[in-house]
Amino acid sequence: MVEIITEAQKEQFDSEGYLIVKGLFSSEEIEQLKNRFMQIHSEGPIPGYFSPLSEEEAKGDILKMYPRIMHPHKIDSLSMKYLLDVRLFSILTKLLEEEPLAAQSMFYYKPPSAKGQALHQDNFYLKMEPGTCIAAWTAIDPSNEENGGLYVVPNSQHAEIQCPHRADPEKSFTREEVDIPDGLQPIPAILEPGDVLFFNGNVIHGSYPNTSKDKFRRSFICHYAGISTTKAGNFYKPLYKQDGTPVTDIETTESNPCGTEFTQAEIH
């Protein structure tokens, strides 16, 4: 694989826990993804993966009309293609310092007035061991402070996975939230369509509501782990090599560090 990122970018990822790669995907590729997922939305529910409600059923909660799609790679060939994209695997090989395995895909619509997602850590949900996972968060629309773009907390990758507390349901569509460690601050990850934000699975991140009047903040998000992974949450099997070969000899786990309150953590 041809290396796409520099040593300086690798050093930034190691130091701060995240990296933005500008323009990794072309405008044509982003338009293809956008059109495909808007088509999926227009065609309605997909049992087990996508459950949008009608405007009447949603009762004013627009995210119930535009919920995220979980694991679209399992039902959509285009999603699988982008999950396994060689450019992503090239970057991830350098960041992980070993062969990557693909674990998950998601698509977020986030229309105007949609709630945010409370601060959280991805590996609380994916439970990759040893080590952690890495997210590849691809912007489909411009992603900024106005339309509910992502915030990351630099250097929070050094913290352990937290036991979350309940989030504010007026601001977050997810129920679980973690605290920002003393001395650290969230910063906005400003992205243009085709930019990809990579971040460590322990990095604290989240978003605020989309306060724009007419701007979606769509994103295609994938998670990966290294070939040395021996355990994963059961929702994330099988993992895949870049050529699409499934890896099934990984132990599944339901355990987490948080006692009984979060034994059944939300699927991420």
Side-chain angles (χ1 to χ4, degrees):
M1 293 183 184
V2 177
E3 290 192 354
I4 299 174
I5 62 171
T6 65
E7 286 298 328
Q9 288 174 302
K10 171 64 163 64
E11 290 172 6
Q12 184 208 322
F13 181 85
D14 291 342
S15 174
E16 300 184 356
Y18 78 97
L19 172 68
I20 295 173
V21 178
K22 306 294 290 184
L24 186 64
F25 294 108
S26 70
S27 57
E28 292 79 12
E29 290 171 316
I30 293 302
E31 196 67 18
Q32 183 184 42
L33 276 169
K34 181 195 300 182
N35 290 341
R36 177 64 184 128
F37 281 101
M38 295 310 288
Q39 177 189 6
I40 289 173
H41 182 271
S42 70
E43 292 175 351
I46 303 173
Y49 297 92
F50 182 50
S51 303
L53 300 181
S54 68
E55 185 174 0
E56 181 180 3
E57 292 169 325
K59 298 179 180 178
D61 187 342
I62 197 164
L63 274 185
K64 291 183 179 179
M65 298 169 60
Y66 287 92
R68 55 188 174 173
I69 303 179
M70 307 300 290
H71 280 341
H73 67 277
K74 293 186 176 182
I75 54 169
D76 178 64
S77 60
L78 184 66
S79 299
M80 180 64 90
K81 173 187 172 182
Y82 280 96
L83 173 73
L84 301 179
D85 189 272
V86 68
R87 291 162 290 185
L88 293 175
F89 270 72
S90 176
I91 293 169
L92 289 158
T93 298
K94 191 157 188 173
L95 298 182
L96 288 163
E97 299 180 356
E98 62 177 331
E99 180 184 350
L101 299 174
Q104 181 190 28
S105 63
M106 299 186 289
F107 189 88
Y108 281 63
Y109 291 95
K110 200 162 189 180
S113 80
K115 295 177 183 178
Q117 184 173 15
L119 293 171
H120 62 283
Q121 296 165 291
D122 287 348
N123 210 42
F124 176 74
Y125 305 93
L126 276 77
K127 301 182 175 69
M128 300 295 173
E129 297 180 28
T132 188
C133 57
I134 291 181
W137 199 103
T138 301
I140 304 300
D141 301 295
S143 179
N144 51 53
E145 295 160 281
E146 181 190 15
N147 69 352
L150 207 67
Y151 279 70
V152 297
V153 181
N155 302 303
S156 57
Q157 77 275 14
H158 303 300
E160 296 295 327
I161 294 294
Q162 289 188 38
C163 298
H165 54 79
R166 294 300 179 190
D168 182 348
E170 297 299 315
K171 298 178 180 179
S172 173
F173 77 91
T174 51
R175 296 176 300 165
E176 300 164 1
E177 182 176 37
V178 301
D179 296 319
I180 301 172
D182 290 344
L184 301 183
Q185 293 292 332
I187 63 170
I190 306 300
L191 306 171
E192 294 298 324
D195 295 349
V196 181
L197 168 67
F198 295 87
F199 54 92
N200 180 294
N202 284 35
V203 162
I204 296 170
H205 64 286
S207 66
Y208 300 105
N210 182 344
T211 59
S212 72
K213 293 182 179 180
D214 58 0
K215 298 180 178 67
F216 273 76
R217 192 230 65 185
R218 287 163 287 211
S219 52
F220 183 66
I221 305 161
C222 301
H223 287 92
Y224 303 85
I227 192 73
S228 62
T229 299
T230 59
K231 292 183 179 181
N234 67 342
F235 182 71
Y236 306 97
K237 286 189 67 177
L239 279 63
Y240 296 91
K241 294 187 175 185
Q242 195 277 323
D243 64 3
T245 303
V247 177
T248 57
D249 59 343
I250 292 177
E251 180 183 349
T252 57
T253 178
E254 292 294 337
S255 64
N256 63 64
C258 302
T260 58
E261 182 180 4
F262 293 101
T263 298
Q264 297 297 324
E266 291 181 350
I267 292 170
H268 178 68

